[in-house]
Amino acid sequence: MGRYRVTLIPGDGIGPEVTQVVKRCIEALDVGIEWEVCQAGESALGKYGTPLPEETIASIKRTGICLKAPLTTPVGRGFRSINVTLRQTFSLYVCLRPFKIYPGVRTRFKNVDLVVIRENMEDLYAGIEFERGKEETGRLIDFIKETTGKEILPDSGISIKPISVTNSERIIRFAFEYAIKNKRRKVTAVHKANIMKYTDGLFLEVARNLSSEYSQIEFEEKIVDNMAMQLVQKPELYDVLVCPNLYGDILSDLCAGLVGGLGLSGGANIGEEVAIFEATHGSAPKYKGLNKVNPSAMVLAGILMLEYLGEGEAARRLEEALASVIKEGQKVTYDLKEPGDTTAAGTMEMGQAILARLKI
Ligand code: NAD
């Protein structure tokens, strides 16, 4: 019996290739993981008639931990993003994404080591929308006119942005606790409270109140547009960013750009009972089966999972092995080579190189 049971979803497109790399690396660390391999996404559709089979959900419920490769959202009527469904099914209210520059990566920046903690349940992503021209949209427009005196043009669509004390409190508390546990120095709350007083203003008020409970961590607040500029100008000044859903989504990709792209960023979606770790890029179907893409993001997802399990030493070893392969720059995939360089390694060769360093 292993010490941990983990649901492993090899996913679609390039998913199975990058999953094989991370699985082998984690097995070499000998932390005692038993995998429950499950299907989701397009690959599940043929066999189960649904992109998210009941037995996959049951496995995640049972293990509480899932390592998931990218999933293709089948295009067609009735299919929502499986990733969104998973987040909602398990109330994964935290989206955690670290961004660090590993020496050897091509990027315009030096010295970036940031963590974006994004609220995952509400804000404009709550999915509460009113379509242009619908009767209920008209009633909402009338209600707004009656109660606020504000005119909304009748040919408008409307999306609702709820932000609650409950969800703000738990994400901001998570950010402070994360900062303490991971020896971070500062938490920056990102908002646009000058314009949206009752939503972003509430988020900010909760952040200010909670910050007094965590006097060992520096606290600051930044308006989101200024934050975007500052991150590009002087990213080294920032540490942990805590954001409502929409700003977190946008700033995460901005930060991915600072550290060399989505191929080098892993993420975690965390709730009270379940945590799902994933590469943040998609399933890149055009590269499927070509042994070409970078397995680093999936390995970084595996590192986050090991940290979450309390296997800090194994996580550190795997990160060092990955960092050393990237730094050496020999056995790395095409995206880590200079344009025109024809010596790129395949996914499996880069995986072998990481594995070889774990076995030294
Ligand atoms: P994508 O991330 O799959 O690919 C975009 C491009 O990024 C690729 O063509 C490739 O050039 C590059 N790329 C991606 N991963 C790479 C890697 N590991 N190494 C090197 N290069 C890499 O985005 P897309 O084409 O917009 O989406 C394809 C499918 O993935 C869609 O069905 C989408 O719904 C799904 N998707 C899933 C997730 C997820 O499961 N978390 C996230 C995003 C997109």
Side-chain angles (χ1 to χ4, degrees):
M1 274 291 277
R3 293 175 60 207
Y4 311 103
R5 291 185 80 79
V6 170
T7 304
L8 182 68
I9 301 179
D12 299 316
I14 57 170
E17 296 161 57
V18 292
T19 301
Q20 202 176 338
V21 169
V22 71
K23 182 168 176 279
R24 283 190 187 156
C25 289
I26 290 178
E27 282 168 357
L29 290 161
D30 214 14
V31 287
I33 287 181
E34 271 187 54
W35 307 102
E36 293 191 8
V37 179
C38 291
Q39 301 302 317
E42 206 172 42
S43 49
L45 196 58
K47 189 166 168 206
Y48 298 88
T50 163
L52 189 54
E54 269 309 314
E55 52 187 82
T56 301
I57 294 182
S59 169
I60 299 173
K61 245 183 217 156
R62 194 164 48 238
T63 61
I65 309 277
C66 173
L67 183 57
K68 183 186 80 59
L71 306 177
T72 301
T73 299
V75 179
R77 293 183 76 81
F79 288 117
R80 304 185 57 199
S81 153
I82 301 124
N83 296 308
V84 174
T85 309
L86 283 171
R87 263 172 236 161
Q88 287 172 350
T89 305
F90 296 110
S91 292
L92 306 176
Y93 67 92
V94 179
C95 177
L96 170 75
R97 287 178 63 186
F99 299 97
K100 196 193 276 187
I101 290 182
Y102 290 97
V105 171
R106 277 186 291 127
T107 156
R108 294 167 187 272
F109 296 87
K110 289 189 224 112
N111 208 6
V112 176
D113 185 2
L114 291 161
V115 179
V116 177
I117 295 178
R118 162 185 168 196
E119 200 285 322
N120 233 355
M121 306 300 295
E122 54 185 15
D123 195 351
L124 283 164
Y125 289 65
I128 309 168
E129 296 210 290
F130 291 83
E131 194 179 338
R132 172 181 67 102
K134 283 277 167 74
E135 196 241 322
E136 58 270 27
T137 313
R139 277 194 276 134
L140 180 61
I141 290 173
D142 291 344
F143 173 75
I144 289 169
K145 174 96 197 288
E146 277 162 34
T147 49
T148 69
K150 300 242 163 85
E151 288 278 357
I152 294 180
L153 290 177
D155 57 353
S156 302
I158 300 176
S159 299
I160 302 286
K161 171 178 166 125
I163 289 200
S164 65
V165 170
T166 307
N167 282 325
S168 301
E169 235 171 50
R170 61 179 181 172
I171 193 72
I172 293 162
R173 198 173 282 289
F174 181 95
F176 278 110
E177 295 288 340
Y178 178 91
I180 292 172
K181 201 164 154 219
N182 292 278
K183 301 191 171 47
R184 295 278 174 166
R185 63 179 203 288
K186 178 161 84 171
V187 169
T188 305
V190 182
H191 65 92
K192 187 83 184 172
N194 48 331
I195 304 294
M196 284 162 279
K197 296 187 195 312
Y198 298 142
T199 48
D200 287 25
L202 192 65
F203 183 84
L204 183 58
E205 186 188 322
V206 171
R208 284 177 180 162
N209 289 342
L210 276 183
S211 69
S212 61
E213 286 181 36
Y214 295 96
S215 52
Q216 67 273 53
I217 302 291
E218 187 189 336
F219 171 71
E220 69 174 2
E221 33 190 81
K222 279 272 175 294
I223 294 178
V224 61
D225 36 358
N226 182 24
M227 186 78 247
M229 183 186 72
Q230 300 258 335
L231 280 171
V232 175
Q233 276 194 323
K234 33 195 171 182
E236 68 284 356
L237 294 187
Y238 298 93
D239 193 355
V240 176
L241 312 183
V242 63
C243 314
N245 209 335
L246 176 63
Y247 311 145
D249 191 8
I250 297 167
L251 292 183
S252 293
D253 274 24
L254 186 152
C255 291
L258 300 178
V259 301
L262 290 179
L264 288 149
S265 123
N269 292 291
I270 303 171
E272 304 288 353
E273 273 147 27
V274 166
I276 300 183
F277 300 85
E278 62 181 358
T280 51
H281 55 74
S283 57
K286 72 177 178 191
Y287 291 127
K288 178 180 176 176
L290 298 184
N291 185 33
K292 190 166 159 77
V293 297
N294 188 348
S296 299
M298 197 62 191
V299 172
L300 289 165
I303 292 168
L304 281 175
M305 184 187 80
L306 291 169
E307 281 168 357
Y308 182 87
L309 291 173
E311 296 290 344
E313 175 56 20
R316 192 191 55 74
R317 282 184 60 207
L318 183 50
E319 187 178 18
E320 272 178 18
L322 173 67
S324 111
V325 170
I326 293 175
K327 187 173 181 186
E328 198 182 85
Q330 298 290 321
K331 297 274 194 242
V332 294
T333 47
Y334 75 98
D335 54 312
L336 293 174
K337 294 276 188 182
E338 291 297 327
D341 187 328
T342 53
T343 63
T347 310
M348 294 309 148
E349 291 69 45
M350 185 166 175
Q352 286 298 342
I354 302 168
L355 207 52
R357 277 161 177 78
L358 288 175
K359 289 182 174 160
I360 289 169

